[in-house]
Amino acid sequence: MIGEVLAYQPGVLNVIVKDLLDVEGLPTTRGSRLVSRSAKPARCDSSAVARLRASGAHVRGKANLVEFAFGTHGFNPWFGTPVNPRSPDLIPGGSSSGSAVAVALGEVEVGIGTDTGGSVRIPAACCGVLGLKPTHGLIDDLGCAPLAPSLDTIGVLARNLAELTAGFEGIGGTIEGGQASWVGQVLSGNAEFDAVVAQILSRIDLPVRMILEFEIDPLWRDGTTVLVAEAYAQLRGYLAEAHRLDPRGVARLQSGREVGEVAYREAHTRQRIAHQRAMELLEMGEGIVALPTVAQPVPALSSLDFSSLNRLTLPFNYLGFPALALPVDVAPPGLQGRGVGGVVPFSLQLVAVDRRESQLLALAARIYDAFPMLTGLGQTTG
């Protein structure tokens, strides 16, 4: 947590908010020292925060993030990098790093984050908690600083399904619709991780298919084109003072300058085609996709390359579909990550078609009927 933090209140839903959303009375720094120099206290809450308060939630304060929410690693050189509670030598994941860490530590029941290419689901995977990216456009983002508007989504992190659901409904989400008829596994390209997904699916009472037609990498490439192009359009004014920015983000931001208008438009054209194709593959909502959240061990803080961390998450921002990352206590231990402080549980990603968040939560409940639910590192405390 950063800045002013209110005391924990027992008996209500305690929430921490990523410092990309306005909270009345607090400045919104976007994780940037450059922005913080002129940031003024917000005059009112963002829509999502206002809805949370109206639902009875207690907003404790704000959480740190990767500068401008533009990175999957979780680093912030200006306000400090949140420490991964699973093991301090591993990255916390980003960009909603502070929200995930606060949830894993039990400082709050719910963390509010944003997810443009995986920024809720990746830190959820790294810290061993649940992370939900709702359908694009479902949650009102008024008062939330944009990164790539075609992909940006406000999401929720929690340690269990009940609190995740409460947080989702608190920001304006709705739980409606029935359960999926079947689940389809999409291969990640990492045989060991794919075998764990198959092991999990074999334990649930639902027909399982293999969806070989679902091509992740073209979606990832086109999603990356849209992300960096729109991020550059949003943030290029800050490059005049690039020496005051985190150099990890500067090079990636500058890459958006190289995306031409034609390439950007073509990526958007393919987006509409890919969305319809995916709807057909999932039989317009009868099926759910299952795959790893991150098909590699959580990187160490000393790692230099995080470019592929969003390979399995960004495609679903590109499609606009809701997606849920959930930790599952399944063998082999340590596959998702092992550090000096312990292991990171396997993170399974479930994906449904537009506005079928209820299907994701229902399937997650079935999975937790078959496997022990992991609820973080301890009981909630102040």
Side-chain angles (χ1 to χ4, degrees), residues 3 7 23 42 56 82 100 179 198 200 262 299 345:
V23 173
Q179 298 191 18
I200 295 169
V262 172

Side-chain angles (χ1 to χ4, degrees), residues 180-265:
S181 300
W182 54 270
V183 59
Q185 182 175 359
V186 170
L187 297 178
S188 70
N190 184 316
E192 196 170 8
F193 279 74
D194 292 335
V196 175
V197 173
Q199 178 186 347
I200 295 169
L201 298 183
S202 71
R203 295 274 296 276
I204 61 172
D205 184 22
L206 202 65
V208 177
R209 305 178 184 178
M210 190 68 69
I211 308 180
L212 299 177
E213 304 92 335
F214 207 106
E215 297 184 72
I216 285 289
D217 287 329
L219 299 174
W220 182 41
R221 287 193 294 269
D222 282 336
T224 299
T225 296
V226 172
L227 195 162
V228 298
E230 293 190 1
Y232 176 73
Q234 293 290 331
L235 303 173
R236 60 186 176 187
Y238 294 108
L239 288 174
E241 296 186 76
H243 61 289
R244 300 183 186 275
L245 303 178
D246 184 349
R248 296 180 190 88
V250 169
R252 190 173 179 220
L253 183 57
Q254 289 174 329
S255 71
R257 181 186 297 157
E258 309 304 318
V259 178
E261 182 66 25
V262 172
Y264 175 71
R265 289 181 179 176

Side-chain angles (χ1 to χ4, degrees), residues 16 83-86 92 97-111 123-124 126-130 157-159 374-381:
I16 195 75
V83 178
N84 188 330
R86 295 286 172 179
S97 48
S99 297
V101 167
V103 166
L105 288 173
E107 295 174 339
V108 291
E109 285 80 30
V110 167
C126 292
C127 295
V129 298
L130 293 96
L157 299 109
R159 295 182 301 160
L374 298 166
T375 56
L377 299 172
Q379 296 300 313
T380 303
T381 64

Side-chain angles (χ1 to χ4, degrees), residues 112-132:
I112 301 303
T114 61
D115 193 313
T116 303
S119 287
V120 162
R121 290 160 290 158
I122 292 169
C126 292
C127 295
V129 298
L130 293 96
L132 174 65

Side-chain angles (χ1 to χ4, degrees), residues 263-282:
Y264 175 71
R265 289 181 179 176
E266 288 177 346
H268 264 299
T269 298
R270 288 190 293 271
Q271 182 182 35
R272 292 188 290 273
I273 297 170
H275 180 274
Q276 181 59 35
R277 175 59 175 153
M279 290 285 290
E280 293 169 357
L281 286 174
L282 294 177

Side-chain angles (χ1 to χ4, degrees), residues 21-26 42-51 53-54 59 142-143:
L21 289 85
D22 287 344
V23 173
E24 184 177 1
L26 300 178
R43 294 182 178 180
C44 61
D45 288 331
S46 57
S47 291
V49 172
R51 284 179 175 270
R53 290 197 206 271
V59 178
L142 182 66

